[in-house]
Amino acid sequence: MTVSRSISGTIAYTSTQPERMGATRGRESFRIDIHADGGRTIAAHGEIDDAPTVVRDVNLRVGPDRRPLECFVRIFVGGTFRGSAWFNFATDKATCEAFTSVEGRISQSMALAKPLPAFGNHAMINDGFLLSLYDLDKGPGTQVIPQLLLSSPDHRGATGPMLFAVDLALQFVGKEQIEVSAGVFDALHFRMVDIPGLPQDHPPYDLWCTADGDYVLLKARVTGYMQTAYELVSCERSEAET
């Protein structure tokens, strides 16, 4: 497939703990390729410096309808290989072929009542893309998106990777103009208010993404016990030559 345009950049991970305010705690580089048929490939390399360290590589392919088709995830935790997996999403079934240092060789299959709306792989750029699940035509409010799948139920994505089912409650706060290190952007402000199915409740999570239809993550903050922040520090866009 021909790449019609691409978006690439970096996201800084920082701490908001009072004793570490603004301290670097990780980073993520990403690239989004938008293909001629409208499908997308979203790739990211992320690093969390806080112990136990996490290094994650993900590559997600979605169709023109933005539904996930396949994904690859590999993670290292504490400097040691933790696991890798390939996920495939058909209209009625999700499958996973994985090998992890804890569970060994794994094959999973989950029946789907309807095509999967989204897949969470714990890359921050993918969290921004998940915001496209909200129907903006309905205006500000809260919408529940049922039957999502994750590569890990851990808040840092440091287990598995393997299939894990959740729902997602998204609140649209409104439109804003914000400034981040990468520039000034028209933004959409969302809040993940509940993620039913996780073994531990996720702390309050606010996210801002571009309002141009690409849902590029601009910034995010997680309060509660995590006390972390994320910010787009560089972003480049390229168009295919005609």
Side-chain angles (χ1 to χ4, degrees):
M1 291 184 290
T2 302
V3 174
S4 60
R5 59 190 181 94
S6 64
I7 308 166
S8 59
T10 55
I11 297 169
Y13 299 2
T14 58
S15 175
T16 57
Q17 297 174 0
E19 68 277 12
R20 298 182 60 202
M21 185 63 68
T24 298
R25 56 176 298 275
R27 63 214 55 84
E28 178 176 307
S29 58
F30 68 86
R31 179 182 172 101
I32 305 169
D33 287 331
I34 298 92
H35 302 286
D37 68 350
R40 296 176 182 234
T41 302
I42 304 171
H45 172 82
E47 301 173 358
I48 301 174
D49 299 336
D50 294 345
T53 61
V54 179
V55 177
R56 178 185 304 104
D57 288 285
V58 304
N59 192 295
L60 170 69
R61 181 171 66 93
V62 303
D65 58 0
R66 302 198 174 192
R67 294 186 183 275
L69 297 173
E70 62 175 351
C71 187
F72 172 78
V73 178
R74 179 191 294 117
I75 56 174
F76 282 73
V77 178
T80 302
F81 173 76
R82 178 59 173 81
S84 62
W86 176 70
F87 303 88
N88 182 263
F89 309 108
T91 57
D92 60 350
K93 181 173 65 174
T95 56
C96 168
E97 297 294 335
F99 178 81
T100 80
S101 60
V102 175
E103 294 86 4
R105 183 71 172 84
I106 299 169
S107 293
Q108 289 178 289
S109 180
M110 286 188 179
L112 301 175
K114 60 181 181 179
L116 189 70
F119 182 64
N121 55 38
H122 292 277
M124 290 304 301
I125 194 64
N126 190 62
D127 277 10
F129 189 69
L130 291 178
L131 303 177
S132 64
L133 294 169
Y134 190 96
D135 184 356
L136 292 171
D137 290 338
K138 297 181 179 179
T142 300
Q143 297 175 13
V144 176
I145 298 93
Q147 191 185 279
L148 276 71
L149 291 175
L150 304 177
S151 61
S152 167
D154 181 72
H155 294 166
R156 305 198 316 160
T159 61
M162 63 182 69
L163 291 170
F164 190 88
V166 296
D167 297 331
L168 175 64
L170 271 180
Q171 179 185 8
F172 176 44
V173 180
K175 297 180 180 180
E176 303 174 13
Q177 186 178 78
I178 66 170
E179 182 175 1
V180 294
S181 296
V184 178
F185 296 86
D186 291 329
L188 304 176
H189 179 189
F190 292 89
R191 185 173 293 132
M192 292 188 183
V193 294
D194 195 13
I195 310 177
L198 288 179
Q200 179 183 7
D201 289 343
H202 198 287
Y205 188 15
D206 282 76
L207 308 94
W208 289 258
C209 67
T210 58
D212 57 3
D214 285 323
Y215 292 86
V216 176
L217 185 79
L218 296 170
K219 70 174 183 177
R221 63 169 180 248
V222 186
T223 56
Y225 84 93
M226 294 184 71
Q227 295 182 288
T228 58
Y230 307 86
E231 181 179 349
L232 184 70
V233 296
S234 68
C235 187
E236 295 183 3
R237 296 173 180 264
S238 63
E239 302 281 344
E241 295 184 1
T242 58

